[in-house]
Amino acid sequence: GENVEQHPSTLSVQEGDSAVIKCTYSDSASNYFPWYKQELGKGPQLIIDIRSNVGEKKDQRIAVTLNKTAKHFSLHITETQPEDSAVYFCAQEDVRGGGADGLTFGKGTHLIIQP
Amino acid sequence: GAGVSQSPSNKVTEKGKDVELRCDPISGHTALYWYRQRLGQGLEFLIYFQGNSAPDKSGLPSDRFSAERTGESVSTLTIQRTQQEDSAVYLCASSYDIGAYGYTFGSGTRLTVV
């Protein structure tokens, strides 16, 4: 079945620096890769996603890159701010299957922005 | 409503009791998902509903877990004879359709079995 490995489990960066979180997946049929941000006491919130026909996508300070050959994708946050502190989850889905198993999530990265 | 609403937000129950968790999806969203999140862990898929199709129950951890959804509206997740290992946050999400549309999650129900 699908499997998603996410690293690191915890990441501490200085405010203003960049943060990178990486995920690898096993299912070569995966073609949809969203990233979610979860703040304490809240549900995960979709922050950016990418489909397999695109190698990179940007939205202001957030970008996601996808390497289908190597089966890995990464979240990049530039100019980090205190409000970026949260747990980030990567996920993947083989949409040809109609999402029958839902998204498969990584175990999460706790991002800490040091003032 | 504007978002996915879950109730109750917190539930403490005694071991062996049954509990029912409720999810109100975003109006017009045909797909609804339930996930379980144990403390400090990722999200574990439980079940999903798509329109009037039979639900995919492949993620339910045991026969003590069941879920229902009426049409494209409210869903309930029922856990019978609760055990301490059922303690977790139960998250509901809905999306416009299955596949590649992104999910909108509710804030979850924190279940504590004592």
Side-chain angles (χ1 to χ4, degrees):
Chain A
E2 298 99 354
N3 187 42
V4 180
E5 298 287 335
Q6 183 171 347
H7 300 281
S9 57
T10 303
L11 177 61
S12 181
V13 301
Q14 290 294 125
E15 182 178 351
D17 288 350
S18 296
V20 181
I21 303 170
K22 299 180 179 180
C23 287
T24 59
Y25 60 97
S26 57
D27 185 0
S28 58
S30 298
N31 49 16
Y32 176 61
F33 307 90
W35 285 88
Y36 288 82
K37 174 183 180 182
Q38 186 174 29
E39 296 175 311
L40 195 63
K42 298 183 179 180
Q45 179 183 7
L46 177 69
I47 55 172
I48 195 167
D49 57 15
I50 192 169
R51 289 166 175 74
S52 59
N53 58 344
V54 176
E56 183 177 8
K57 183 176 179 180
K58 289 183 179 180
D59 182 3
Q60 299 181 354
R61 297 187 296 109
I62 295 173
V64 56
T65 58
L66 172 65
N67 184 326
K68 286 217 73 177
T69 302
K71 290 192 280 189
H72 66 70
F73 56 112
S74 300
L75 178 71
H76 305 253
I77 306 174
T78 58
E79 301 171 18
T80 52
Q81 300 170 5
E83 55 264 36
D84 294 331
S85 294
V87 178
Y88 291 81
F89 292 96
C90 63
Q92 62 87 31
E93 184 174 32
D94 174 6
V95 298
R96 296 175 308 166
D101 292 329
L103 292 170
T104 301
F105 286 84
K107 293 192 181 299
T109 296
H110 186 191
L111 176 62
I112 302 166
I113 307 302
Q114 302 280 6
Chain B
V4 177
S5 178
Q6 291 188 246
S7 61
S9 56
N10 283 282
K11 175 72 176 179
V12 180
T13 189
E14 292 182 350
K15 179 181 173 181
K17 294 287 181 68
D18 298 351
V19 295
E20 187 174 279
L21 313 180
R22 177 188 169 104
C23 173
D24 281 276
I26 292 174
S27 178
H29 279 194
T30 63
L32 185 148
Y33 302 81
W34 283 98
Y35 285 84
R36 178 169 69 178
Q37 186 176 30
R38 292 198 166 104
L39 185 63
Q41 300 296 311
L43 288 84
E44 176 188 0
F45 169 77
L46 297 178
I47 188 170
Y48 102 103
F49 298 87
Q50 168 59 23
N52 294 314
S53 302
D56 177 357
K57 304 179 180 181
S58 59
L60 294 178
S62 78
D63 58 7
R64 296 186 295 104
F65 287 72
S66 62
E68 293 184 347
R69 186 185 187 195
T70 304
E72 296 182 356
S73 61
V74 171
S75 175
T76 55
L77 176 68
T78 302
I79 308 173
Q80 296 178 309
R81 306 181 301 282
T82 51
Q83 304 294 314
Q84 288 187 329
E85 61 262 28
D86 298 334
S87 295
V89 175
Y90 290 82
L91 289 160
C92 174
S94 70
S95 68
Y96 174 71
D97 200 349
I98 54 173
Y101 285 93
Y103 299 176
T104 301
F105 281 88
S107 295
T109 293
R110 181 175 298 279
L111 175 67
T112 304
V113 181
V114 298

